[in-house]
Amino acid sequence: MNNSWRQHELVFLLLYAVIFYIIIIHYSLQLSHDHYNKLYGLRAGLFSGQLNDASDAQWRNFRSNLPILTFVFGLFTLVANILRALYNLKAEGMSIVWLLISLAYLSYLHGAFIFFILSIATANFLLIKIFGRTKYFPFVLWVFNLAFLLCNRVYEGYLFASFGNRWAYLDKFRGTFRWHICFNFVILRMISFGYDYHWSDHNTYVDEEKHARHCTTCSSGKTCYRMLQERNVGIEKFSYTLYLCYLLFAPLYIAGPIISFKAFASQLDTPQKNYTLKQVGWYGFRWVLSLFLIEIMTHFFYYNAFAISGIWKQLSPMEVFIVGYGVLNFMWLKFFLIWRYFRFWALVSGVEAPENMPRCVNNCYNLESFWKNWHASFNKWLVRYMYIPLGGSRRKLLNVWVVFTFVAIWHDLEWKLLSWAWLTCIFFIPEMIVKSAATSVKVDSDFKEFIFRELSAVAGAITITCLMVANLVGFVIGPSGISWLKSVFLQAQGLPTLFGLLVTFYVGTKLMFHVSDAKQRTHQS
């Protein structure tokens, strides 16, 4: 009876989802058609007579540079792989090859300003080697890196003129990309190298045999990321050459994904074997299909242009919801493509970095799941180098504030990002309390299971709504827009839309439960 009910429920949920997306597509096309002449950032598109939403600077720059990036990375990986095969190079040899390639790449990107990158990186390396074995080393490491994270932003990458007029001419050689933007990722790598060196004289690596018995990846003959970052790589790997190669590794330099030093060094020594050549090719082909999808999206649905043009203030509550939902999906697909593109070239080079978007944004119904799957490699970094050293789950309610404040500052020095971080923390608190209470409840009957499932779906609907609010505040309307959101949705005209989106997210959460159940059955079989 229970299975029969769930099958009928699934049919209803799928029908609702189909109708929902038909309505969303219809409204989106109508909105784009009615307001395109008021929107900023629209350009001539690939399709005849159709404009393209190029309002997002990050996506516009990536898309326009895609041909040259593909040529450059294809050449880089070809040279590196040929040299590895010809001379049977291991970590030290490959670090020299990739360091030379990466320095040439960075010279084009940043011009003379590569001096600042190498100077800060060298100072960090010396600090690690001098203080790395002391008990107060984590404090020194964080102070040093946070200071440069803030100063780089405040002074916007510094000027050579500040060192004297005779150096001012170097300010003309800026390259094509602002170095201090990319340096945010370098700072994460500098901290990773520091901690891995600090922990290298402790027996922190896992028991490989015991781990393999419980890890589905390792038991299948592959090597999981946890094993890569926990296994002992030997103190000789913590050399200056390998350190610089890790910081500047061309395929992952601009945007990641983020990989820990140990995981990188071990794969530089022995290339990854989790992906065969055929699987890497299939991974690249799926990326091309995803690129085609975002082209369709930006040519017909101008979500991001609505967001940056301020037109959303003139829209009805239903239209505001559609634009907000569309922006979230556009952001997910944009980062999905950027991160997977660079991860693909790392795989071709023999380095497997963590997947940043392992799950679709529309298949996350709680905050913890969302952040584990949105920028997954950053999440792994935060857990390893911030959350656990701060006390882990023993101080979870406090740690989330520290972690998300750092995430906001790491992205940029803006009040709206701090507002996004603190709103997320506020939304995290009830979820953690409910989860803690749920673990103590015994579900020992069909009725209790039904009630628990329904309450979880309601909680999921509220969480998704909170996620949309936090991301709209952080990346679109800013903290001042909170009062505007209240005035739009908490009034007679907006309440039906608010109720409708909660019902929709409730249905979506129930669908995610069915997806999770299907995956669990597949895994068990």
Side-chain angles (χ1 to χ4, degrees), residues 112-124:
F113 285 76
I114 193 176
F115 166 80
F116 294 111
I117 298 171
L118 295 176
S119 298
I120 298 169
T122 302
N124 183 72

Side-chain angles (χ1 to χ4, degrees), residues 152-205:
N152 290 351
R153 286 291 185 171
V154 171
Y155 296 103
E156 296 190 349
Y158 318 112
L159 293 172
F160 282 99
S162 59
F163 296 97
N165 289 333
R166 63 176 177 172
W167 303 109
Y169 74 96
L170 291 173
D171 289 325
K172 298 176 183 178
F173 303 100
R174 289 182 172 271
T176 60
F177 207 85
R178 291 177 295 170
W179 75 270
H180 62 285
I181 303 298
C182 297
F183 201 76
N184 285 15
F185 285 95
V186 176
I187 280 177
L188 299 183
R189 297 180 195 118
M190 292 198 304
I191 292 172
S192 173
F193 179 87
Y195 264 115
D196 284 3
Y197 178 78
H198 179 63
W199 292 330
S200 63
D201 61 342
H202 304 299
N203 293 323
T204 56
Y205 53 90

Side-chain angles (χ1 to χ4, degrees), residues 47-266:
F47 309 124
S48 178
Q50 194 68 39
L51 294 173
N52 180 37
D53 184 354
S55 58
D56 185 271
Q58 190 178 35
W59 175 249
R60 183 173 65 249
N61 291 335
F62 174 76
R63 183 176 177 267
S64 61
N65 287 299
L66 196 54
I68 186 65
L69 276 174
T70 303
F71 172 77
V72 167
F73 283 125
L75 182 63
F76 285 169
T77 53
L78 180 64
V79 170
N81 288 337
I82 288 174
L83 289 174
R84 185 201 294 270
L86 284 177
Y87 299 103
N88 193 28
L89 298 177
K90 297 297 181 182
E92 197 62 36
M94 285 306 298
S95 67
I96 294 171
V97 169
W98 271 112
L99 180 56
L100 292 173
I101 289 173
S102 300
L103 286 172
Y105 178 55
L106 265 67
S107 297
Y108 169 76
L109 286 178
H110 308 312
F113 285 76
I114 193 176
F115 166 80
F116 294 111
I117 298 171
L118 295 176
S119 298
I120 298 169
T122 302
N124 183 72
F125 181 80
L126 293 173
L127 179 145
I128 290 166
K129 289 296 184 177
I130 294 169
F131 299 101
R133 301 302 188 192
T134 62
K135 63 181 179 181
Y136 48 84
F137 168 73
F139 174 77
V140 174
L141 183 71
W142 277 104
V143 168
F144 178 88
N145 282 278
L146 284 175
F148 274 105
L149 178 67
L150 296 173
C151 289
N152 290 351
R153 286 291 185 171
V154 171
Y155 296 103
E156 296 190 349
Y158 318 112
L159 293 172
F160 282 99
S162 59
F163 296 97
N165 289 333
R166 63 176 177 172
W167 303 109
Y169 74 96
L170 291 173
D171 289 325
K172 298 176 183 178
F173 303 100
R174 289 182 172 271
T176 60
F177 207 85
R178 291 177 295 170
W179 75 270
H180 62 285
I181 303 298
C182 297
F183 201 76
N184 285 15
F185 285 95
V186 176
I187 280 177
L188 299 183
R189 297 180 195 118
M190 292 198 304
I191 292 172
S192 173
F193 179 87
Y195 264 115
D196 284 3
Y197 178 78
H198 179 63
W199 292 330
S200 63
D201 61 342
H202 304 299
N203 293 323
T204 56
Y205 53 90
V206 295
D207 183 332
E208 294 194 23
E209 291 185 7
K210 182 179 179 181
H211 171 81
R213 288 197 296 269
H214 298 90
C215 175
T216 53
T217 302
C218 293
S219 60
S220 66
K222 298 180 180 180
T223 306
C224 73
Y225 182 70
R226 186 188 169 205
M227 179 60 70
L228 286 173
Q229 71 175 5
E230 294 292 348
R231 63 169 42 157
N232 190 8
V233 295
I235 196 66
E236 71 280 358
K237 294 292 193 297
F238 292 89
S239 66
Y240 183 65
T241 305
L242 223 159
Y243 164 74
L244 278 184
C245 174
Y246 167 60
L247 298 190
L248 310 180
F249 182 60
L252 302 179
Y253 172 74
I254 290 180
I258 303 154
I259 185 172
S260 72
F261 174 75
K262 281 188 176 182
F264 176 81
S266 62

Side-chain angles (χ1 to χ4, degrees), residues 433-504:
I433 294 172
V434 169
K435 277 189 174 182
S436 179
T439 55
S440 60
V441 177
K442 290 184 178 180
V443 181
D444 52 7
S445 67
D446 288 344
F447 178 72
K448 284 185 178 181
E449 183 184 354
F450 172 78
I451 295 297
F452 182 78
R453 197 176 177 93
E454 293 302 308
L455 290 175
S456 297
V458 171
I462 295 170
T463 300
I464 297 169
T465 306
C466 292
L467 269 171
M468 282 194 64
V469 170
N471 281 285
L472 281 173
V473 169
F475 298 99
V476 181
I477 61 178
S480 60
I482 296 176
S483 56
W484 177 82
L485 276 177
K486 289 179 182 177
S487 67
V488 169
F489 287 99
L490 298 181
Q491 59 167 332
Q493 186 184 0
L495 284 174
T497 301
L498 180 61
F499 176 76
L501 70 89
L502 284 170
V503 170
T504 299

Side-chain angles (χ1 to χ4, degrees), residues 29-42 49-51 302 305-306 309 311:
L29 288 170
Q30 193 66 46
L31 274 170
S32 299
H33 178 269
D34 292 345
H35 298 280
Y36 74 91
N37 55 342
K38 306 174 189 174
L39 302 178
Y40 305 141
L42 300 186
Q50 194 68 39
L51 294 173
Y302 305 145
F306 272 101
S309 302
I311 302 298

Side-chain angles (χ1 to χ4, degrees), residues 520-525:
Q520 190 174 0
R521 287 194 299 269
T522 303
H523 178 70
Q524 288 173 350
S525 61

